[in-house]
Amino acid sequence: MASANQGIQQQSRNLLIDATITAIAEFGLSQLTLAKISGIAGLTAGTVNFHFDSKEALLLETLNFVSEEFDQTLASALKKSGPNPARRLEGMINASLDPEITEHRKVAVWHAFDSESHTRKDYQSICGSRDRKNFNLLLNLCEQIIAEGNKRDEINARAVANAVTGLTDELWK
């Protein structure tokens, strides 16, 4: 019975996170209220308070959710790509542009936290190290590909990694 109850609680949490993703996309962070979130979820505001200590806790859990989903998608793509650096780079790019990841509501969450000054610190706290780790992985793959082609004197790996990052970031926008 306890396991079934935990499953129901997890479903409610997931429903609230999904409703928060929708609410951020529709209203932005500044116009967001627990009433709007609970209304989208079809739950009471008390349910929000039962699962999360505060609106801020729900918002941070929502950012964590989209961030972890991205990490899982990226890890899966890298695993499927095998050891070849060109295939791994292709896998990274494809994961970054995966329709499930780039769904407009989820992209709105990323941009809301990244662009609003009062949430920028939260974004950096949750996503900053992941962003740096992913960039370093991308840079390493570019370096490997360039080295395999004996083009170190002709191609700057950091410039290529910055270009790939810039292109994927721009496509998100």
Side-chain angles (χ1 to χ4, degrees), residues 14-81:
N14 292 345
L15 186 60
L16 288 167
I17 290 169
D18 190 65
T20 303
I21 292 169
T22 299
I24 290 170
E26 287 184 24
F27 304 108
L29 288 175
S30 61
Q31 301 296 316
L32 198 60
T33 64
L34 290 180
K36 289 176 182 174
I37 294 168
S38 61
I40 291 169
L43 301 170
T44 65
T47 305
V48 178
N49 292 325
F50 174 77
H51 291 289
F52 299 95
D53 293 336
S54 64
K55 179 175 111 177
E56 289 72 27
L58 173 57
L59 292 175
L60 292 177
E61 187 61 30
T62 300
L63 180 59
N64 264 321
F65 174 84
V66 295
S67 183
E68 288 174 11
E69 180 184 48
F70 179 83
D71 279 354
Q72 290 169 0
T73 300
L74 181 58
S76 176
L78 289 170
K79 185 176 180 179
K80 288 178 187 173
S81 298

Side-chain angles (χ1 to χ4, degrees), residues 28-138:
L29 288 175
S30 61
Q31 301 296 316
L32 198 60
T33 64
L34 290 180
K36 289 176 182 174
I37 294 168
S38 61
I40 291 169
L43 301 170
T44 65
T47 305
V48 178
N49 292 325
F50 174 77
H51 291 289
F52 299 95
D53 293 336
S54 64
K55 179 175 111 177
E56 289 72 27
L58 173 57
L59 292 175
L60 292 177
E61 187 61 30
T62 300
L63 180 59
N64 264 321
F65 174 84
V66 295
S67 183
E68 288 174 11
E69 180 184 48
F70 179 83
D71 279 354
Q72 290 169 0
T73 300
L74 181 58
S76 176
L78 289 170
K79 185 176 180 179
K80 288 178 187 173
S81 298
N84 181 288
R87 287 197 177 122
R88 290 174 65 81
L89 176 60
E90 180 183 15
M92 277 189 85
I93 293 169
N94 288 337
S96 296
L97 302 176
D98 183 292
E100 183 69 25
I101 297 299
T102 59
E103 188 227 330
H104 78 280
R105 298 175 318 127
K106 293 174 185 173
V107 171
V109 171
W110 291 102
H111 288 299
F113 277 90
D114 189 33
S115 64
E116 293 200 23
S117 61
H118 70 284
T119 59
R120 181 86 172 120
K121 186 176 179 180
D122 293 328
Y123 177 87
Q124 284 302 320
S125 171
I126 292 171
C127 302
S129 65
R130 288 176 177 161
D131 290 347
R132 287 185 294 279
K133 178 188 78 167
N134 290 337
F135 179 80
N136 287 332
L137 175 59
L138 176 66

